[in-house]
Amino acid sequence: VKSPYMRLTVASPNRAIQQAVPQSPPPERCQRQSELPGAESVLLLQSLRPVVEIPWGFPLYNFEALERTDFAYWKGRLKAAESLYHLYRLDHIVGLFRLWGIPAGKKPAEGHYVPEERSKWGPQGKATLEALLHASSLLPVGEDLGIIPHETRETMHHLWIPGTKVIRWERRWKGDKSFIPFSEYPLCSMTTVSTHDSNSLSTWWEHHPDEAEAFAAFMGWKFEKKLSNEQLIEILRISHHTPSLLHINLLHEYLAL
């Protein structure tokens, strides 16, 4: 289920949920921040390549209005999904802690974080996530990929919300950039080999040979330009045997075999 105000990516799409869940929030709850009239939000996507600024054009969350209603809009959506699913994905979970607001007519680089005071990021995210956790029996999984402030992961750990571990990106980025051993993945996490925003494992291997060669060395394999079926099966097998609480891969990774 997707909307500019909350994006719940669930395990298997179902038209019934789209019919059951309201798609347009009441005006008060999505009104834009008063200090940023006409502002939009931008997501900063971090990968191995330079940061890309994407002005999505969505209005900012009005967290004060949402909190005044005890997050009734989001809670209603979760209750509607509860009879259909067991898990849901909180896409770009860091956005519940802080957003990048761009005043109307300005460039992405001319925006600023909302809230601007970093001291407010943790409490805002914690209050929102606690409300969602208590609203249903569904287990959230946070998409915490890229550059994530420490407040986000600390709160996720405190509330026992699994983060996302994509095998190809689990490296010691602040150190020697070596791959993190699978045995060191935390229990409170979900292991996967790809996401809906990334290439499939086989396509990544062919399009990013430098990264694939480093991963092959980590696995003790001789690097070949094409990922073999045997290697794909082995990576998928490993992805289901890390210490993570959850092991979930996209269907097309198996259909590629």
Side-chain angles (χ1 to χ4, degrees), residues 18 28 37 59 70 94 144 152 155 159 225:
Q18 297 181 23
E28 181 196 13
D70 194 28
V94 68
D144 57 341
T152 300
T155 301
L159 297 177
K225 292 183 179 180

Side-chain angles (χ1 to χ4, degrees), residues 88-101:
Y88 67 100
R89 179 177 184 268
L90 281 169
D91 192 44
H92 202 70
I93 193 172
V94 68
L96 298 179
F97 292 77
R98 54 103 173 110
L99 290 168
W100 186 255

Side-chain angles (χ1 to χ4, degrees), residues 144 153 157 160-165 170 180-191 242-247:
D144 57 341
R153 291 205 174 104
H157 179 75
W160 200 250
I161 296 176
T164 302
K165 302 298 179 186
E170 285 303 300
I180 296 173
F182 306 121
S183 61
E184 295 183 16
Y185 286 20
L187 174 62
C188 188
S189 68
M190 178 195 76
T191 296
T242 69
S244 296
L245 175 67
L246 300 167
H247 308 86

Side-chain angles (χ1 to χ4, degrees), residues 164-172 178-194 201 204-205 211-212 214-221 227 231-247 249:
T164 302
K165 302 298 179 186
V166 182
I167 284 178
R168 73 182 79 163
W169 296 330
E170 285 303 300
R171 303 174 71 167
R172 305 189 194 283
S178 61
F179 284 91
I180 296 173
F182 306 121
S183 61
E184 295 183 16
Y185 286 20
L187 174 62
C188 188
S189 68
M190 178 195 76
T191 296
T192 188
V193 301
S194 60
L201 196 56
W204 164 73
W205 192 277
E211 298 169 27
F215 186 80
F218 167 68
M219 294 293 292
W221 298 337
L227 186 68
Q231 290 172 326
L232 177 55
I233 290 172
E234 177 62 9
I235 296 173
L236 288 171
R237 187 195 68 78
I238 289 171
S239 75
H240 284 279
H241 290 84
T242 69
S244 296
L245 175 67
L246 300 167
H247 308 86
N249 290 312

Side-chain angles (χ1 to χ4, degrees), residues 24-32 62 65:
S24 299
E28 181 196 13
R29 295 176 205 165
C30 64
Q31 71 184 35
R32 298 172 180 186
N62 187 324

Side-chain angles (χ1 to χ4, degrees), residues 55-238:
W56 291 113
F58 296 156
L60 296 173
Y61 291 102
N62 187 324
F63 282 96
E64 291 182 1
L66 285 164
E67 193 165 6
R68 282 198 300 270
T69 64
D70 194 28
F71 301 96
Y73 171 62
W74 287 346
K75 287 182 175 181
R77 300 188 72 187
L78 290 175
K79 292 301 291 185
E82 195 174 48
S83 62
L84 300 171
Y85 307 105
H86 296 97
L87 311 172
Y88 67 100
R89 179 177 184 268
L90 281 169
D91 192 44
H92 202 70
I93 193 172
V94 68
L96 298 179
F97 292 77
R98 54 103 173 110
L99 290 168
W100 186 255
I102 308 169
K106 299 294 185 179
K107 296 179 180 180
E110 297 177 282
H112 58 77
Y113 285 121
V114 179
E116 291 189 75
E117 304 88 345
R118 182 159 189 162
S119 61
K120 294 183 179 180
W121 296 358
Q124 175 177 283
K126 185 173 183 288
T128 306
L129 288 172
E130 284 181 333
L132 299 183
L133 281 172
H134 296 154
S136 77
S137 61
L138 294 167
L139 174 67
V141 178
E143 183 271 288
D144 57 341
L145 305 172
I147 299 176
I148 303 296
H150 68 83
E151 293 91 342
T152 300
R153 291 205 174 104
E154 287 174 0
T155 301
M156 291 172 66
H157 179 75
H158 175 73
L159 297 177
W160 200 250
I161 296 176
T164 302
K165 302 298 179 186
V166 182
I167 284 178
R168 73 182 79 163
W169 296 330
E170 285 303 300
R171 303 174 71 167
R172 305 189 194 283
W173 294 110
K174 294 183 179 180
D176 60 6
K177 296 181 172 56
S178 61
F179 284 91
I180 296 173
F182 306 121
S183 61
E184 295 183 16
Y185 286 20
L187 174 62
C188 188
S189 68
M190 178 195 76
T191 296
T192 188
V193 301
S194 60
T195 78
H196 71 288
D197 285 324
S198 74
N199 291 327
S200 68
L201 196 56
S202 298
T203 303
W204 164 73
W205 192 277
E206 293 180 24
H207 290 188
H208 302 286
D210 291 346
E211 298 169 27
E213 187 172 6
F215 186 80
F218 167 68
M219 294 293 292
W221 298 337
K222 179 182 177 182
F223 175 70
E224 301 289 346
K225 292 183 179 180
K226 186 175 178 61
L227 186 68
S228 70
N229 257 22
E230 292 75 16
Q231 290 172 326
L232 177 55
I233 290 172
E234 177 62 9
I235 296 173
L236 288 171
R237 187 195 68 78
I238 289 171

